[in-house]
């Protein structure tokens, strides 16, 4: 599997703008390490505006597969693979965007309420701060994404990540039941 369409000869793409012009959709399958690395390389070639747009799209697609309260361990194998892939796509974009929007202030450094449960959440916070500073009308949409991401079942997401990032040959399905209160 490859993230690139079959009719694209990637060996002929020499410049970042050639790669960015492909305008690839968010992949449905990034379980293969080579595909994940190809996605990371593609994301690094995008402009900041393209990275933000793809980040929003990847998050929205991930949140559609992992709505609040859904235990991803009980999903079908295909849904688990797709959810992991959308999370991986967003995660790669997080790494690309972190340096562009991250500015540590004393308030965010010292205030324990500002600690984030994930890198994705921190980048969403940074984007919201930036959008507020420029009076963007997109602030509410990003606030909604942040709320959706905070509502994702962290235990099942971590189990899913461990499942797909385990060394090859050691992948196991962990369909453990959710904890009962």
């Amino acid at each position: 599997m490859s993230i690139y369409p079959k009719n694209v000869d990637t060996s002929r793409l020499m410049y970042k703008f050639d790669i960015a012009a492909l305008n690839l959709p968010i992949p449905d399958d990034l379980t293969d390490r080579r595909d994940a690395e190809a996605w990371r390389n593609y994301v690094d070639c995008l402009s900041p505006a393209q990275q933000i747009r793809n980040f929003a799209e990847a998050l929205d697609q991930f949140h559609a597969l992992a709505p609040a309260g859904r235990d991803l361990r009980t999903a079908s194998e295909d849904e688990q693979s797709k959810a992991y892939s959308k999370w991986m796509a967003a995660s790669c974009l997080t790494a690309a965007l972190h340096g562009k929007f991250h500015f540590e202030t004393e308030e965010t450094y010292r205030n324990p309420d500002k600690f984030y449960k994930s890198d994705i959440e921190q980048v969403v916070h940074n984007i919201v701060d930036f959008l507020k500073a420029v009076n963007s009308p997109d602030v509410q949409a990003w606030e909604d994404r942040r709320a959706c991401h905070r509502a994702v079942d962290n235990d099942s997401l971590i189990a899913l990540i461990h499942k797909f990032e385990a060394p090859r040959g050691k992948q196991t399905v962990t369909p453990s039941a959710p904890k009962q209160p």
Side-chain angles (χ1 to χ4, degrees), residues 99-140:
K100 292 176 177 72
F101 290 98
H102 180 70
F103 180 76
E104 197 73 66
T105 63
E106 184 175 355
E107 176 200 359
T108 57
Y109 182 74
R110 299 201 187 284
N111 186 350
D113 294 336
K114 295 290 183 178
F115 289 121
Y116 311 101
K117 73 176 188 176
S118 70
D119 291 340
I120 290 175
E121 185 182 336
Q122 183 176 11
V123 169
V124 171
H125 172 79
N126 293 340
I127 289 172
V128 168
D129 271 359
F130 171 76
L131 294 174
K132 284 179 180 177
V134 297
N135 295 323
S136 173
D138 296 334
V139 171
Q140 188 57 49

Side-chain angles (χ1 to χ4, degrees), residues 26 39 43 46 51 54-55 58 89-98:
I26 306 300
W39 178 253
V43 161
L46 300 176
Q51 289 173 340
N54 281 320
F55 183 54
S91 223
C92 292
L93 286 152
T94 296
L97 288 168
H98 183 73

